[in-house]
Amino acid sequence: MHIRLSTLDPVLTDLPLLVLFLPEGIREPEGVAAAADTRLGGALRRALDRGDFRGKKEETLLLFPPAESEGGPGRFLFVGVGRAEELDAETLRRAMGRAVRVAEGLRLGALAVSWDPFWSVAPALSAQALVEGAVLAAWDFRELKSCPPEGQDGLPPPVQELTLVWQGEPSQVREGMRIGLAQARGENLARTLQARPGNLATPAHMAEEALRLAQRLPLQARILGPEELRAEGMEALLAVARGSEAEPRLIVLEYWGRKNREAPLVLVGKGLTFDAGGISLKPAQGMEEMKFDMSGGAAVLGALQAVAELELELNVVGIVPCAENLPSGRALKPGDVIRTRAGKTVEVVNTDAEGRLILADALSYAQEYQPAAVVDCATLTGACVVALGHVASAVLGTHEGLVEELRRAGDRSGERCWPLPLWKEYREQLDSQVADLMNVGGRPAGTITAAAFLREFVGDLPWAHLDIAGTAYGEGKLSYQRKGGLGVPTRLLVEWIRSREAS
Ligand code: BES
Ligand code: MN
Ligand code: ZN
């Protein structure tokens, strides 16, 4: 999507559609809405007077200026934002997403939005949220539809242009627009990778995508294949991949935004391109969803793209272990014991608990960077969906400050996460008779024991883990989402990294 900034009078500019926001319960239009109402011959006032439009969140009202008025927008779209005193960035993101959906329905390729300074959301943040809402809403996955049936009865053409009309200082909103665009583009990259099915988005494909990012942006990519993985002693990653014809890859993407090799932030993402469960085979019902088991890895690639596009002044490394978990005559078996890169041995009681195995090797590799902090994200446990549903990711870690930073970044991005404890008692559930630890800890506290497993491989580093099993993909009920991969937690990660840049 192409984003422009205009400082002209919104009501006088020739545009096919101008979007304006209205809070709940106002009787008298103010600011730009008042100017629009004049243009509309008082139609907005009448709608408000009659209670036809009340300004509830995402309520919409489309009005057309009378034929005799020349110039100016062809249509006005008012979108409700709820109670003014409760207005926040997420409300704006959703309102803007709703506006893009309406523009889509009208088959308009371009729209404009104008807003008066909201006293509760700063200009830069509102610009960021509006751009995010629009760019996320405009995303669609069409690459596997033969001859896209756009036009008359087919899919609406994608919205391609957004003009932000801002009557204050341009410098108040430019940076917010830049951030919003990069964050949403990163999230859209994650969604595209998620949407690609397991036969296309293989570990090798994920690696190619990382290499493409490194060609275009100031990123350095290193790809480890089976031979390099053996040399690194990454037997856990190799063991998970052994049941599949698809070779594993470890993707490493480095961004050095500070020349002095200051300790980097390391992001690790689970890149399981298809999880059938292995010999501990999953039931057929819903198994197709397990193409989304690379969502953590997709979010890490999306976050690295955003960091590089924003040219942030810090160092960030992304590590994505990629493999496919299938049953076969060569596959890892329940009861097998493997030796991880870190040297710890694991009794694999259930081959469907494969995410923690590939993450164990990736987390131990991450330590080579002597990072300032490590954050991993993974569709790790069904238990997390039971605990928090589709509303929030779980966050667990060794460092309370880091967990709190992530929780706040979750609030700012609208991609919320909520803490679970990691007390040492949970680790006992992983005690093994034959090896250093088992890869499953039974049914109680499944999300926590999975995190307790990962903790064994992070040493003393500040580390936190996001379980995104319930949030990375789904029905896509928000205005700026579609059913399928949601790109979560890409924006959470970039918000967190940006907070580290500021401090
Ligand atoms: N990828 C799954 C977790 C998952 C479940 C993600 C549902 C999204 C939705 C993971 O590899 C897995 O299979 N976990 C097992 C662990 C169990 C065997 C301890 C699970 O949660 O059932
Ligand atoms: Mn599994
Ligand atoms: Zn999995």
Side-chain angles (χ1 to χ4, degrees):
M1 186 186 254
H2 189 66
I3 315 279
R4 299 189 310 143
L5 177 63
S6 164
T7 52
L8 301 173
D9 184 342
V11 183
L12 296 178
T13 354
D14 284 310
L15 305 153
L17 177 74
L18 177 66
V19 178
L20 300 172
F21 302 109
L22 281 182
E24 197 173 326
I26 64 151
R27 324 214 87 248
E28 193 74 30
E30 289 170 24
V32 61
D37 191 40
T38 306
R39 198 85 195 160
L40 288 162
L44 174 62
R45 271 291 290 272
R46 288 194 292 280
L48 292 171
D49 284 347
R50 291 171 194 174
D52 290 1
F53 182 81
R54 296 187 301 162
K56 297 258 181 215
K57 284 185 182 183
E58 291 183 50
E59 189 185 354
T60 59
L61 176 70
L62 184 65
L63 292 174
F64 300 83
E68 58 269 25
S69 70
E70 272 167 33
R75 305 164 186 82
F76 288 85
L77 178 68
F78 297 93
V79 184
V81 290
R83 295 162 59 91
E85 58 277 20
E86 287 164 17
L87 189 72
D88 59 9
E90 179 62 12
T91 302
L92 292 175
R93 219 176 268 124
R94 292 181 191 183
M96 195 62 221
R98 176 65 50 216
V100 166
R101 290 278 169 269
V102 171
E104 232 170 51
L106 295 168
R107 297 177 174 271
L108 299 174
L111 75 165
V113 59
S114 184
W115 74 106
D116 298 304
F118 302 110
W119 53 268
S120 54
V121 185
L125 185 56
S126 42
Q128 180 191 331
L130 294 174
V131 170
E132 283 178 3
V135 174
L136 291 168
W139 175 88
D140 199 5
F141 183 75
R142 297 183 180 177
E143 61 186 45
L144 298 180
K145 302 221 185 235
S146 43
C147 30
E150 282 163 21
Q152 278 297 294
D153 319 300
L155 295 169
V159 175
Q160 277 166 336
E161 211 178 293
L162 172 69
T163 306
L164 273 79
V165 188
W166 174 250
Q167 300 209 266
E169 268 297 305
S171 62
Q172 289 178 296
V173 295
R174 275 232 167 81
E175 183 63 6
M177 289 170 64
R178 203 172 81 87
I179 291 167
L181 179 60
Q183 294 196 166
R185 278 170 49 82
E187 187 142 301
N188 285 346
L189 168 64
R191 290 170 168 188
T192 297
L193 296 175
Q194 287 179 293
R196 290 183 185 149
N199 61 325
L200 301 178
T202 57
H205 175 83
M206 296 286 283
E208 280 163 29
E209 287 288 332
L211 287 169
R212 276 185 36 183
L213 285 180
Q215 271 171 12
R216 184 169 69 77
L217 293 163
L219 291 166
Q220 281 153 39
R222 183 161 61 256
I223 310 295
L224 282 64
E227 245 172 70
E228 293 89 357
L229 294 173
R230 260 188 294 277
E232 273 291 333
M234 295 189 151
E235 209 194 297
L237 176 53
L238 286 161
V240 168
R242 210 158 57 215
S244 168
E245 294 287 323
E247 287 180 356
R249 295 284 187 273
L250 184 88
I251 299 170
V252 184
L253 263 184
E254 299 175 354
Y255 172 79
W256 300 104
R258 281 239 183 176
K259 295 295 165 268
N260 60 4
R261 298 256 153 180
E262 185 183 276
L265 304 174
V266 177
L267 304 179
V268 178
K270 174 179 175 182
L272 222 293
T273 58
F274 187 75
D275 180 15
I279 296 294
S280 313
L281 192 63
K282 287 182 183 294
Q285 179 74 40
M287 201 202 272
E288 73 285 356
E289 286 186 3
M290 284 300 124
K291 74 168 187 177
F292 294 125
D293 216 15
M294 35 59 77
S295 298
V300 167
L301 296 187
L304 264 290
Q305 172 182 292
V307 164
E309 287 187 354
L310 288 171
E311 299 179 335
L312 297 185
E313 277 187 42
L314 36 63
N315 299 331
V316 185
V317 178
I319 302 178
V320 183
C322 296
E324 189 173 62
N325 187 24
L326 296 184
S328 89
R330 299 194 331 150
L332 185 64
K333 302 177 296 299
D336 285 358
V337 174
I338 56 178
R339 187 177 297 277
T340 58
R341 179 182 187 277
K344 291 192 182 175
T345 56
V346 178
E347 181 187 2
V348 180
V349 171
N350 188 323
T351 65
D352 199 9
E354 84 299 334
R356 61 198 77 183
L357 298 176
I358 70 171
L359 288 169
D361 278 351
L363 287 167
S364 112
Y365 190 86
Q367 290 191 55
E368 302 294 323
Y369 285 93
Q370 297 175 301
V374 180
V375 174
D376 79 74
C377 56
T379 46
L380 206 60
T381 64
C384 188
V385 192
V386 177
L388 294 169
H390 304 289
V391 174
S393 309
V395 56
L396 305 96
T398 48
H399 196 277
E400 250 176 63
L402 177 57
V403 167
E404 183 57 17
E405 285 174 33
L406 290 166
R407 210 190 55 69
R408 294 211 183 135
D411 284 351
R412 287 197 299 280
S413 60
E415 302 183 334
R416 283 180 292 184
C417 59
W418 199 256
L420 290 177
L422 238 181
W423 296 310
K424 65 178 189 312
E425 285 83 350
Y426 294 107
R427 168 63 180 80
E428 294 164 15
Q429 289 175 234
L430 299 173
D431 287 343
S432 164
Q433 292 290 314
V434 296
D436 295 332
L437 72 168
M438 300 193 294
N439 76 329
V440 294
R443 270 179 62 85
T447 302
I448 300 177
T449 54
F453 182 95
L454 298 180
R455 182 194 198 155
E456 296 289 310
F457 300 91
V458 293
D460 317 317
L461 291 170
W463 157 79
H465 157 67
L466 293 162
D467 194 327
I468 57 171
T471 49
Y473 64 96
E475 289 304 312
K477 292 221 175 77
L478 302 182
S479 63
Y480 57 78
Q481 298 175 332
R482 294 183 203 267
K483 184 178 158 85
L486 305 176
V488 174
T490 307
R491 288 183 300 110
L492 181 163
L493 294 174
V494 185
E495 285 284 351
W496 171 66
I497 292 168
R498 291 200 303 109
S499 77
R500 283 284 180 134
E501 185 191 32
S503 65

